Amino acid sequence: MQKVVILGAGGLAREVLDIFLACNTLEPKYEILGFIDENPLMHDKYLNGFPVLGGFEWFAGIDRKSIQVICAIGNPVNRRKVVQKALDLGLEFCNIIHPAAVITPFVTLGKGVVITAGCVFTNQIQVGNHVYFNLNSTIGHDCIIDDFCNINPGVHISGNVHIKTGCDIGTGAVIIQGVTIDEWSIIGL
């Protein structure tokens, strides 16, 4: 079984835990060790039955090659900072995909990608690193979604769209075909 640590201990982290647990109901393949959070008030607490192990100092005594991590920080700017800290420690990122997501074989995923239940990916889609796809989002053909983007619940992206680094696409947004969204943009408030 692959040992996994979730970076973050907020609501998004609990949702990411849910995806690992859903995957394990089909075939037990993940051993979830717990959560890492820099807030000392969270240390030694339990979230949905799993411990908050501490901050990044927890990795000091651990064989880092024996585990993978996933970043569950919602804000793209903060996610990038946490990911960089993990990379500096030599940690390896995994992807997690809910079994109720539909992804064709013509989708390319980077590292640290989270895909929740109900998402649908069609054809020739390129996804960067550390991108989060929330519930019931659809991604059309020939889309490019760069690193550290958030695709929030119920977002529908038509074909030939390029979403550049760090974009936060708000709940229920609909993006028409053929557009490019510049880096660090926020769509829908």
Side-chain angles (χ1 to χ4, degrees), residues 6-21:
I6 299 169
L7 305 179
L12 183 60
R14 293 189 311 271
E15 289 180 346
V16 169
L17 171 65
D18 291 342
I19 301 170
F20 281 108
L21 295 175

Side-chain angles (χ1 to χ4, degrees), residues 84-103:
Q84 189 56 58
K85 195 168 193 175
L87 290 172
D88 291 345
L89 289 174
L91 297 170
E92 183 179 334
F93 284 88
C94 64
N95 293 336
I96 188 67
I97 302 169
H98 196 284
V102 177
I103 302 173

Side-chain angles (χ1 to χ4, degrees), residues 5-161:
V5 172
I6 299 169
L7 305 179
L12 183 60
R14 293 189 311 271
E15 289 180 346
V16 169
L17 171 65
D18 291 342
I19 301 170
F20 281 108
L21 295 175
C23 289
N24 277 348
T25 62
L26 297 176
E27 176 188 351
K29 63 186 215 177
Y30 298 107
E31 179 185 349
I32 301 114
L33 301 179
F35 303 90
I36 294 295
D37 198 286
E38 291 296 289
N39 179 356
L41 297 176
M42 294 298 296
H43 298 178
D44 299 321
K45 292 191 177 196
Y46 279 77
L47 303 175
N48 296 356
F50 292 86
V52 178
L53 302 165
F56 273 95
E57 73 280 352
W58 182 83
F59 291 107
I62 301 300
D63 176 11
R64 296 176 199 152
K65 295 192 185 325
S66 70
I67 62 171
Q68 292 185 328
V69 297
I70 190 92
C71 188
I73 307 290
N75 178 285
V77 173
N78 293 337
R79 184 182 318 138
R80 183 171 65 167
K81 290 176 186 173
V82 170
V83 164
Q84 189 56 58
K85 195 168 193 175
L87 290 172
D88 291 345
L89 289 174
L91 297 170
E92 183 179 334
F93 284 88
C94 64
N95 293 336
I96 188 67
I97 302 169
H98 196 284
V102 177
I103 302 173
T104 71
F106 310 105
V107 175
T108 303
L109 300 177
K111 292 187 177 186
V113 175
V114 175
I115 301 175
T116 61
C119 291
V120 177
F121 289 69
T122 64
N123 243 276
Q124 308 305 324
I125 298 166
Q126 296 177 36
V127 175
N129 299 317
H130 311 290
V131 179
Y132 190 85
F133 294 92
N134 214 316
L135 300 167
N136 299 316
S137 293
T138 59
I139 314 302
H141 64 85
D142 301 294
C143 284
I144 300 170
I145 301 174
D146 292 338
D147 300 345
F148 300 107
C149 290
N150 275 351
I151 309 301
N152 286 292
V155 169
H156 300 291
I157 302 172
S158 298
N160 293 301
V161 169

